[in-house]
Every structure is written in C-alpha cells, then in structure tokens.
Amino acid sequence: MKNLSNEKWFLIDGNSLIYRTFYALPPLTTSKGVHTGAIRGFTTILLKIINEEKPDYIGVAFDKRTPTIRHEYYEEYKAGRLKMPEDLAVQIPLLKAILEAFGIKIISLDGYEADDLIGTLSKYGEEKGIEVKIITGDRDAYQLASDLTTIWYTKKGISEFDAVDQQEIYKKYGITPQELIDVKGLMGDKSDNIPGVPGIGEKTALKLIQEYKSIEGVYENIDKIKGKVLYNNLLAYKEQAVLSK
C-alpha cells in the first residue's frame, strides 16, 4: 500500500517514552528542586522528530489510572506492577503542559490503554493511506506493523531507535505481525500478568503459530501436537490461552 495522502503521522506512547528517558538520564532538577530529567529527554526526542522528520501530525497517548476493559475479563491483569516512582510521577503534568504548548494532541480515554488508542489511530491512518510511525518501548506494538505503519522501538539511551516494519517481523519471527498476538496468547506475558499456557515459551509458541497460524488453528489440529506435556497443557489450559489472546 502506498502513502496516498503524502502525510506522515507520529504516534508516541507517552508512558513508555517517559519511563525510558527517566531511567536513561541522570536525575536532573531545577534550582527549585523540580524534577526535570525525564522531561528533558522526552523533549529532546520530540524536537529531533520535528526537525528531522517534519511530521504533519504528532499525537502522544497516555494511560489513565482507571481500570481498563481488560480488567473486566481478568481482574489480575497487570497485577503486581510497581507503582510509578514519585520523582517521575511529578513530571507527567509538566510534560503534558509542554505538549499543549507545542500544540501536540494528548490522547487518553477511560477504560483504554495508550496502546489501544495508538493501535486505533494507526489503523485509521492506514485506511486513509497515511504513513504512520509509532514510537514505543513496548514490543506488543509490533503487531501493528504494516506497509504503512512502522514501529520505532526505543533502544539504549534516548536517541536510537530500531525501525521495525512487517518485513522485519517476518524476517525475525517467521510470522506476520498480527500472528504475534497468538504467540503472546500462548506464551503469556509476565510484565502484564497474562498467564498464557504453562510450559510454553517464545520458541515453542512461535513454532506452533508458524505451523498453525493462530491459537484456534492450534486447537483445530491438537491431535497433531507432539510431546505429551505440551499436548496435555494445551488441552488443560485452552480457555486460559484464548483469554490471554
């Protein structure tokens, strides 16, 4: 698919990027003791994007503190996550004020995560033939890669990114970006407290999805699965696998 509109959007995962800059830079403060290290890192990246990439639009998505739609299905979703450090939390309102001064849209919605909003906007952009760049440190965003959407995954420090498109996904994992959803459903995700199927790690999950294309495909071919433990775990935790997906 071509960039039919000749527009370029940048969608930034605000929580992900400010965490990255918070831990990448020293704890800077103003003369009044206001913490600013994460803000400085964030605005450095922002100015670099504006000056070098010249996007038509930039949106920064933030999580809200309210429960999400996922908690309605699984109360333990993201249970055990550590609370945001206070030195970082106090910088969020200041960052949002800076974004507003830049005229950059802040995106958030009760019941949804920043990831959800970024995903929705990226798909909307694709429908309009718009080139979309997503900046995040969350590999879950890889599922959004397409002809028009590229994931700029944050690397070490604050100035380097890996540009991941759908060709890169296939080259690295041997599956399509959307099939990564099924891989995560099988292997789970400790950081989000997504259970998956016990005993299945990334290597096994990738092998299963490479062969059967989806969790549903795995269960349609369950009698072909080799390995007694794997077979039994898949049977025993079918409902959990589907929920995790």
Side-chain angles (χ1 to χ4, degrees), residues 30 36 74 96 103 139 158 192 219 226 242:
T30 67
T36 58
Y74 186 56
K96 289 182 177 179
R139 287 191 176 89
I158 63 169
D192 286 341
Y219 283 104
K226 296 179 180 179
V242 174

Side-chain angles (χ1 to χ4, degrees), residues 1-9 56 124-132 147-149:
M1 186 184 295
K2 295 181 179 179
N3 184 352
L4 303 177
S5 71
N6 292 317
E7 286 187 1
K8 184 192 294 183
W9 289 3
D56 295 282
Y124 177 82
E126 285 180 20
E127 290 173 4
K128 301 296 182 182
I130 296 167
E131 182 182 358
V132 179
D147 287 334
L148 284 174
T149 298

